[in-house]
Amino acid sequence: MARHDIHLLSVLIATISVVALASENCHYTISVKTGSRHDSGTDAVIGIVLADRSGKYIEIKNLPGWYAAYVDVKTTKTGTPSKYQHFTVEQWLANSEPPYLLYAERDNCPSVIKKSPYSIQTCTYTINIQTGTRADSGTDAIIGIVLADQSEEYIEIKDLVSWGGKMPEGHDYFENGNLDIFSGTERCLPGPVCFMRLNSDNSGYKPGWYVVYVDVTTSKPGSVSKHQRFTVEQWLAVDEPPNQLYAERSNCPV
């Protein structure tokens, strides 16, 4: 497939997608501009998640090296003016190019959104991560995590250490054989956590990281704590199989 064909296909797939949000149907017109850098195009299957500031979202799974310049989203609903949003991306989605991620997130939501403290229930999430003991298993990379329930509602923590590292001061996280503990508050998910995605930004010296398992405990006042273990046994590295900087595990009912 020629490179100009790839670009056109990316736009056509997104333009004809019609998605239901809540009880109303909207038509989403999504224009994706691929960059003009060398090898910017891709034959990969590209997906997109769109969300409003309340956290409600839709996911289009079929819209890894691809350089994206920007994404335009137009939302149309019968009887109301169309709404338009432009997201500047200017990023590689590739394991071989910085920031070594297969996704790009951009947020145009207002930076300060005041909500009643009673409008959203908060839960305490305690996350234990066991690093392996193989040679060079440890990492100095920034590690993030996504936790989701069966309905695909999710929370994302982009930097576990700064979010809620609970080890003694001066502790070196994610080193060989470590069992690291993190804890913090986030909004409660509608259901119990059953999906986990670990992400590495591949930074630092020898950033490859071998993970044995992740334990997640969710606590809410007045409720019994819920625990989920995700067996990982995988490298998050570009130079070790499966040669990717993320690990996804699902214990959700099929």
Side-chain angles (χ1 to χ4, degrees):
M1 181 181 291
R3 287 296 181 194
H4 65 274
D5 293 333
I6 295 169
H7 300 168
L8 178 60
L9 181 60
S10 297
V11 174
L12 287 178
I13 290 175
T15 302
I16 62 174
S17 297
V18 180
V19 185
L21 182 60
S23 60
E24 297 178 283
N25 288 332
C26 292
H27 185 88
Y28 294 85
T29 301
I30 303 168
S31 303
V32 180
K33 172 66 175 176
T34 297
S36 56
R37 299 188 184 192
H38 179 65
D39 288 336
S40 287
T42 184
D43 292 323
V45 175
I46 303 300
I48 192 168
V49 174
L50 305 175
D52 63 16
R53 64 182 185 178
S54 73
K56 294 290 186 180
Y57 73 96
I58 60 169
E59 181 176 9
I60 303 165
K61 294 185 178 180
N62 186 5
L63 246 166
W66 178 44
Y67 188 89
Y70 65 81
V71 175
D72 286 339
V73 179
K74 180 181 178 183
T75 307
T76 305
K77 183 170 67 174
T78 305
T80 61
S82 296
K83 296 179 181 179
Y84 168 82
Q85 191 72 252
H86 178 85
F87 298 92
T88 301
V89 182
E90 294 295 348
Q91 178 196 311
W92 284 99
L93 280 74
N95 281 332
S96 57
E97 296 286 345
Y100 308 104
L101 299 173
L102 295 178
Y103 65 91
E105 293 182 347
R106 298 298 183 266
D107 186 351
N108 293 346
C109 297
S111 57
V112 178
I113 303 171
K114 294 186 182 279
K115 296 182 179 179
S116 163
Y118 305 104
S119 61
I120 297 179
Q121 283 190 306
T122 58
C123 288
T124 298
Y125 295 89
T126 302
I127 302 166
N128 297 349
I129 300 181
Q130 177 70 58
T131 297
T133 56
R134 302 184 183 195
D136 295 325
S137 286
T139 186
D140 292 323
I142 294 174
I143 303 300
I145 195 169
V146 174
L147 302 174
D149 65 7
Q150 190 176 7
S151 71
E152 298 186 356
E153 290 285 329
Y154 70 94
I155 59 170
E156 180 174 13
I157 302 160
K158 295 187 177 181
D159 182 347
L160 276 165
V161 174
S162 62
W163 170 77
K166 295 301 178 185
M167 306 304 286
E169 186 175 354
H171 176 77
D172 197 358
Y173 287 87
F174 309 122
E175 290 305 314
N176 192 299
N178 276 13
L179 177 60
D180 294 310
I181 302 172
F182 311 88
S183 186
T185 57
E186 296 287 341
R187 71 182 181 93
C188 295
L189 296 173
V193 171
C194 62
F195 172 89
M196 178 280 305
R197 174 185 172 119
L198 279 176
N199 299 307
S200 167
D201 75 345
N202 204 45
S203 61
Y205 177 66
K206 290 187 176 181
W209 181 40
Y210 191 86
V211 186
V212 179
Y213 65 80
V214 176
D215 281 343
V216 179
T217 301
T218 308
S219 304
K220 183 171 64 174
S223 300
V224 177
S225 296
K226 296 177 181 178
H227 173 258
Q228 191 73 250
R229 169 165 290 198
F230 299 95
T231 300
V232 182
E233 293 291 355
Q234 180 195 310
W235 285 98
L236 277 69
V238 296
D239 56 355
E240 294 281 355
N243 307 104
Q244 58 191 35
L245 294 173
Y246 65 92
E248 292 183 347
R249 297 295 183 270
S250 178
N251 296 338
C252 300
V254 178

